[in-house]
Amino acid sequence: FHAEAAAQLFPEWIALGQLPAQLMDVGATIGSDVPFFLSGGTALGLGRGDEIYPLADLPRHWIVLLVPGFGVSTADAYAWYDGERDLSRGMSTREPQHVPGPWPSRAAQMINDLEAPIARHHPEIDQMRLALRRAGALAAAMSGSGSTVFGLFQKPREAHAAVERLAGSGWRVLLTESLGRGEYARRSRPIVRRAAPRARTVRQPAVPRRTRR
């Protein structure tokens, strides 16, 4: 929803002459993650996620999404996280996942603190994550507060092979790719529609008729 809101409002705000800082402030009133979608690329989010600091972009990845037949309420997700915070912090059963990139290895770990508490209430989350890893994903994790799970692939043929392998899993399978900040900005640029040129009417002077008698 928030990504769609940013995509719909971005061109209108630009057309009104809004500055980037103003766009971020307005976006944050819609949702905490809207400022990220107004920035694009790889970024560090602080605060509620609305303080965006651009980072060097990760290399291009192809992303396979698995969407189950259930949703997860954001309120429930954070309530489960708060209720099991001590337990989730103490768990070390989840393997560390490192994504190659231009940062220190610690910064390139793919971690979602909400994943473990939600997976305890919806074990299918772990099943999807493991299915993506077995299909060849470099790393896999739950997206946000769920319930979609995504896997990263470095080569398009590997991602397409995973889509074919998971097609009969019972989950909805989608394929997309990551965008760097420059490409994101290019695609987000408002499209200026030029008015069609008006048809020109060519008029010729009337030629007087001669009457013969």
Side-chain angles (χ1 to χ4, degrees):
F1 168 79
H2 292 161
E4 183 178 354
Q8 292 293 327
L9 295 176
F10 186 77
E12 282 77 4
W13 290 339
I14 292 294
L16 292 173
Q18 296 284 345
L19 298 175
Q22 294 174 308
L23 295 182
M24 294 294 187
D25 291 341
V26 174
T29 65
I30 299 174
S32 297
D33 50 0
V34 171
F36 167 75
F37 290 108
L38 293 174
S39 171
T42 304
L44 171 66
L46 299 179
R48 296 185 299 121
D50 53 352
E51 298 177 32
I52 302 300
Y53 299 90
L55 300 174
D57 278 331
L58 280 171
R60 186 181 185 184
H61 285 83
W62 282 261
I63 306 167
V64 176
L65 306 171
L66 295 183
V67 185
F70 63 90
V72 177
S73 161
T74 301
D76 286 343
Y78 281 93
W80 296 335
Y81 172 74
D82 289 338
E84 303 180 15
R85 184 177 301 178
D86 293 337
L87 177 60
S88 63
R89 283 180 178 173
M91 290 186 65
S92 58
T93 57
R94 292 181 180 265
E95 59 178 323
Q97 300 184 100
H98 300 276
V99 180
W103 327 313
S105 60
R106 180 178 178 83
Q109 291 186 37
M110 195 163 73
I111 302 171
N112 184 347
D113 290 337
L114 292 175
E115 185 179 287
I118 292 176
R120 281 191 281 275
H121 289 79
H122 294 285
E124 199 168 342
I125 296 292
D126 274 342
Q127 295 171 15
M128 291 188 290
R129 186 173 59 84
L130 292 174
L132 283 165
R133 293 302 302 271
R134 289 169 182 160
L138 172 69
M142 185 182 71
S143 175
S145 58
S147 56
T148 298
V149 176
F150 67 94
L152 301 181
F153 295 80
Q154 293 178 307
K155 298 179 180 180
R157 67 173 182 271
E158 296 173 350
H160 284 282
V163 169
E164 293 181 5
R165 176 174 176 174
L166 296 167
S169 62
W171 303 307
R172 186 182 180 192
V173 185
L174 302 173
L175 176 62
T176 185
E177 63 186 81
S178 61
L179 292 178
R181 189 169 294 103
E183 178 65 12
Y184 185 86
R186 187 187 70 79
R187 297 193 187 190
S188 302
R189 192 175 300 129
I191 299 175
V192 179
R193 299 184 181 278
R194 297 182 179 179
R198 298 178 61 182
R200 299 177 63 182
T201 302
V202 179
R203 296 182 178 180
Q204 296 180 347
V207 178
R209 290 184 176 183
R210 291 183 181 182
T211 304
R212 294 181 179 180
R213 294 181 180 180

